Amino acid sequence: MTSHDVTLEWADGSTQTVAVAENESVLDAAQRAGARLPYDCRKGTCITCVGRLLALEGEDAESAEGGSEQPPDPADVFTYRRSPAALTDQEQADGYVLLCVAHPQSDCRIEVGPRVRAEVGDSPWA
């Protein structure tokens, strides 16, 4: 069975790397590993579990081609078991990912926690 290492990074500098199986969401793998992440709907329709993709394995956003600080495109890293309906196209382009429905296709680092949620704001359905 294929799995990918996803490193979760909190604002206080703590990290935890979890192995995410091929058909497993990041949230499910994190919970299995004992990581505490916020969640609510588990359907991609609220914004509670949002994270921000920081980098692919071996690539920092700051060292990306041309030295830009543009985050990697989540579409290159994740497939979704359901549409991430709570995220706009621009939020997805900015690197935001709904961890309850996201399946990684490569090793990566994701920023998690309340600060990321504050950047995105409330659910569009609130």
Side-chain angles (χ1 to χ4, degrees):
M1 176 185 297
T2 302
S3 69
H4 298 285
D5 289 337
V6 175
T7 300
L8 307 170
E9 297 186 12
W10 285 266
D12 67 0
S14 63
T15 64
Q16 183 172 351
T17 299
V18 297
V20 184
E22 185 174 0
N23 292 320
E24 187 175 36
S25 72
V26 175
L27 176 64
D28 289 341
Q31 288 183 322
R32 180 176 38 76
R36 294 185 63 200
L37 295 177
Y39 67 95
D40 191 11
C41 73
R42 290 187 167 271
K43 296 177 182 172
T45 58
C46 77
I47 210 78
T48 306
C49 67
V50 69
R52 188 171 62 93
L53 179 63
L54 297 173
L56 303 178
E57 176 187 10
E59 177 181 299
D60 291 327
E62 294 81 16
S63 65
E65 183 177 328
S68 76
E69 294 186 21
Q70 187 70 24
D73 186 347
D76 294 337
V77 182
F78 295 98
T79 59
Y80 284 104
R81 70 176 169 209
R82 302 181 79 164
S83 169
L87 292 176
T88 65
D89 290 344
Q90 184 59 54
E91 289 166 338
Q92 292 180 62
D94 289 342
Y96 295 101
V97 178
L98 295 181
L99 303 178
C100 71
V101 292
H103 300 262
Q105 303 303 302
S106 65
D107 297 353
C108 60
R109 294 184 7 238
I110 302 172
E111 181 181 11
V112 295
R115 186 171 74 185
V116 178
R117 173 143 184 227
E119 291 171 357
V120 177
D122 291 328
S123 168
W125 324 117

